[in-house]
Amino acid sequence: MFSGFLESYGGFILDGALMTVFLSVVSMVLALILGGVVTAARMSDNLLISGLTKLYIEVIRGLPMLVILSLFFYGLPMLGLNIPKSTLFGVDLDRLIAALTGLTVGESVFVAEIYRSGIQAVDSGQFEGARSIGFNKFQAYRYVIIPQAFKNILPTLGNEFSNNIKSSSQASVIGVADLMFTASTIQGISYKPFQAVIAVGFVYLVFTFSTTRIVAHYERKMNRSAEELTLRDKWDELVQTIKASWKSLLVTAAFIVMIIGTFAFNHRETNTAAGSIEKIQNSGQLGVATNIGYAPYEFYDLSSGHKKAVGVDLAFAKQLANKLQVKLVVKNMNFDSILGTITSGNADIAIAGMTKTKEREKSVDFTQNYVKQINKVVVRKDSAPQYTAIADLAQSSIAVQKSTTQEDVVKEDIKPKQIVALSSLPDAFLNLAQGKVDAVVADDTVADQYIASNSELTYADIDLPGTTETAMALTKGNQSLKAYVDKLIEQDKKDGSFDKWMKTYSALAQKNTGENE
């Protein structure tokens, strides 16, 4: 089950693992340094400095890491701190610096509190004794207090480093290609969400497990004087450490294998658990996988005073549920998770403006097409004159939504200097508005809404080759539901329902934009 998967995507996972190691190690080293400065300020005799530092610690400690990363990534340009456009390890420098800064700041307050607790745990008589023999305050801390405190805080620092490894996964949200970003990419390519998550989860486990074992080894080493150990003792201790580590690792690996085995045994049944008309009606609900946030297809209508999911796709989904006489259950998720949700049987149908491709048809069945789209290049108005042909985009950076046909168009037809693939299209347009990328490629119906809501954006005078038509995805082999949906799509195309919905929800999306400006 996993051999072919690792053979195909092992290179992706290795690249993501290296980026995760880089983020974790560099940010932790910086956090150790910054944490020391924060600790000194927190323990200062100056009440103003101490009070402001305490406020800083409470604020940072109270914010989720994802919020901190987003604040640095989107906030720095708004403060006029624009990082030069460049790349490091294949990642935009501004994204990498925002990730490192966010992780460093977020971890530094926890490190500072660990330092402070370790220092305060040392008997106060130690400090007084050092001062009495002529040490100044700095020397007392440097030669007496800190060495004893370090011995006490080493296990906690090791645990904090493990937490930092896991926290680094949040950097994927701002486009840093770490392990979680890699997992999302693999899911979008292979439509095998379980295998991707298990693979990167195992790598994370190896990283954190190795960290705790190394820290435990050095903790034991510090607790025993080196002079008391013979060469034989040192060898026996090393052997025991290895044995203990491998025992724990084998137990963990056995547990993972058990999960994989259970999944593989039940996978065939799971794939057929959802989908057929009879099963849908027996369950009393129609599960629809979609990605809300792409007006006019699916978006939240706020004009009524409360959040309500509406759009062309959801209007059809509601119609389908009514005809089947079941409840509509909308499952909102990232676009690159949708087909994995269908193949795993966790939704009956995917309705999310999806285009048929040969690769996707290996995993799911598609209905007939229901909407035709044209791919367009969106740029900022001030740079529009310089883009009049596809060749003009060769040295640009272009943002697209990950795992979409637009990403394929950019890779195959435009071939720009840099492609920034993000989990959501709103993030792509936000990157464009803030000048982090030069252009966004999206279908014209959705792009119209973003241009209507942002006067600084416009279409580039560039015609991309070909058009795309969207269809709905179902569990492979589900012929009864496919035939039923195809018939309903044909009916709605003939009576103009799709055109009517397109006009209605396009107008509603623009109305919402006007009310929220």
Side-chain angles (χ1 to χ4, degrees):
M1 179 181 179
F2 272 88
S3 58
F5 178 85
L6 292 176
E7 183 178 348
S8 299
Y9 304 110
F12 285 83
I13 296 171
L14 177 59
D15 289 342
L18 292 175
M19 178 54 67
T20 292
V21 170
F22 174 78
L23 285 175
S24 304
V25 173
V26 173
S27 64
M28 193 65 192
V29 170
L30 294 175
L32 291 173
I33 297 171
L34 180 58
V37 175
V38 174
T39 302
R42 176 71 177 85
M43 300 182 70
S44 171
D45 294 331
N46 187 305
L47 294 179
L48 179 60
I49 295 176
S50 178
L52 289 176
T53 306
K54 184 178 180 181
L55 177 62
Y56 164 79
I57 291 173
E58 292 301 326
V59 170
I60 298 299
R61 191 163 55 180
L63 293 175
M65 183 59 74
L66 182 57
V67 173
I68 296 174
L69 291 170
S70 298
L71 284 173
F72 279 105
F73 182 59
Y74 295 115
L76 290 179
M78 297 181 70
L79 296 174
L81 300 173
N82 294 309
I83 298 168
K85 287 188 176 180
S86 183
T87 60
L88 183 64
F89 308 130
V91 178
D92 282 352
L93 195 59
D94 59 342
R95 299 174 195 279
L96 198 56
I97 289 178
L100 286 173
T101 306
L103 288 168
T104 298
V105 170
E107 281 299 318
S108 67
V109 296
F110 293 101
V111 170
E113 290 297 273
I114 292 171
Y115 285 167
R116 189 169 68 92
S117 63
I119 290 172
Q120 291 179 338
V122 177
D123 189 274
S124 59
Q126 299 284 329
F127 181 78
E128 295 169 359
R131 294 285 283 168
S132 69
I133 61 173
F135 282 10
N136 60 33
K137 189 173 182 180
F138 174 78
Q139 290 173 325
Y141 276 108
R142 167 68 179 83
Y143 296 108
V144 178
I145 304 300
I146 292 178
Q148 296 181 69
F150 181 75
K151 180 179 177 181
N152 295 331
I153 66 176
L154 180 61
T156 312
L157 284 176
N159 290 334
E160 194 58 38
F161 181 54
S162 295
N163 288 333
N164 192 41
I165 293 173
K166 293 180 285 186
S167 295
S168 68
S169 63
Q170 308 279 3
S172 63
V173 177
I174 60 173
V176 177
D178 70 332
L179 272 171
M180 279 308 300
F181 187 95
T182 299
S184 182
T185 300
I186 294 173
Q187 288 171 347
I189 297 172
S190 67
Y191 313 122
K192 297 177 179 178
F194 183 80
Q195 293 93 322
V197 171
I198 283 293
V200 301
F202 185 78
V203 177
Y204 275 118
L205 181 62
V206 169
F207 286 166
T208 55
F209 178 82
S210 301
T211 299
T212 55
R213 290 296 90 199
I214 291 171
V215 171
H217 170 72
Y218 280 101
E219 183 185 3
R220 285 194 298 271
K221 189 174 181 180
M222 291 177 68
N223 286 334
R224 296 178 63 184
S225 172
E227 289 75 17
E228 296 175 359
L229 295 177
T230 64
L231 183 62
R232 179 67 182 176
D233 290 334
K234 293 179 180 179
W235 173 255
D236 290 341
E237 182 180 310
L238 177 62
V239 171
Q240 290 301 317
T241 299
I242 295 174
K243 284 183 178 180
S245 300
W246 277 106
K247 285 178 182 178
S248 301
L249 187 59
L250 287 174
V251 170
T252 305
F255 181 70
I256 293 174
V257 169
M258 182 181 69
I259 294 175
I260 295 172
T262 303
F263 174 80
F265 182 78
N266 294 321
H267 188 61
R268 180 165 49 102
E269 296 181 6
T270 303
N271 280 342
T272 60
S276 72
I277 291 178
E278 183 181 355
K279 287 181 179 177
I280 290 172
Q281 290 177 326
N282 288 339
S283 69
Q285 62 183 33
L286 173 70
V288 175
T290 191
N291 185 205
I292 298 174
Y294 302 91
Y297 295 107
E298 46 273 322
F299 62 100
Y300 286 116
D301 174 25
L302 306 177
S303 61
S304 59
H306 64 278
K307 188 169 71 174
K308 179 182 179 184
V310 297
V312 176
D313 289 343
L314 296 180
F316 180 87
K318 183 66 176 175
Q319 180 192 50
L320 177 60
N322 289 341
K323 287 188 175 293
L324 294 174
Q325 298 182 329
V326 295
K327 178 184 176 183
L328 175 63
V329 177
V330 177
K331 301 185 176 185
N332 184 30
M333 61 194 70
N334 285 340
F335 186 84
D336 51 11
S337 299
I338 289 176
L339 289 189
T341 301
I342 295 297
T343 59
S344 63
N346 290 321
D348 302 304
I349 185 169
I351 312 179
M354 190 168 290
T355 306
K356 292 180 185 178
T357 65
K358 291 182 179 179
E359 188 66 28
R360 289 173 176 172
E361 286 182 310
K362 294 177 182 178
S363 303
V364 296
D365 285 335
F366 282 96
T367 64
Q368 64 168 292
N369 298 322
Y370 66 98
V371 174
K372 182 177 289 188
Q373 301 171 329
I374 300 174
N375 291 322
K376 302 286 284 184
V377 180
V378 182
V379 296
R380 293 183 298 280
K381 280 185 178 179
D382 58 2
S383 63
Q386 69 188 71
Y387 299 115
T388 58
I390 291 180
D392 296 333
L393 296 167
Q395 296 302 311
S396 66
S397 60
I398 299 180
V400 289
Q401 186 181 12
K402 194 190 306 179
S403 304
T404 60
T405 51
Q406 284 77 29
E407 183 180 11
D408 296 334
V409 168
V410 173
K411 287 179 178 178
E412 297 169 9
D413 298 319
I414 300 178
K415 300 177 182 177
K417 182 178 180 180
Q418 184 180 23
I419 300 173
V420 180
L422 299 170
S423 296
S424 72
L425 199 56
D427 280 345
F429 278 99
L430 182 58
N431 274 253
L432 175 61
Q434 292 194 335
K436 295 180 180 296
V437 296
D438 301 310
V440 170
V441 173
D443 74 76
D444 58 337
T445 309
V446 174
D448 283 345
Q449 309 304 317
Y450 285 95
I451 291 176
S453 64
N454 192 327
S455 60
E456 296 179 357
L457 303 182
T458 188
Y459 285 124
D461 188 18
I462 297 175
D463 292 325
L464 295 178
T467 59
T468 59
E469 292 186 305
T470 60
M472 303 171 195
L474 310 101
T475 307
K476 205 156 187 65
N478 190 355
Q479 295 302 315
S480 62
L481 183 58
K482 182 181 183 303
Y484 191 92
V485 174
D486 278 340
K487 183 177 179 181
L488 188 56
I489 290 174
E490 188 64 34
Q491 174 188 314
D492 287 340
K493 288 167 70 174
K494 285 183 178 179
D495 65 19
S497 291
F498 280 115
D499 293 334
K500 177 184 175 184
W501 289 331
M502 191 67 72
K503 290 179 181 178
T504 299
Y505 292 112
S506 293
L508 179 58
Q510 292 183 19
K511 178 184 176 184
N512 280 346
T513 300
E515 290 178 351
N516 291 317
E517 286 180 346

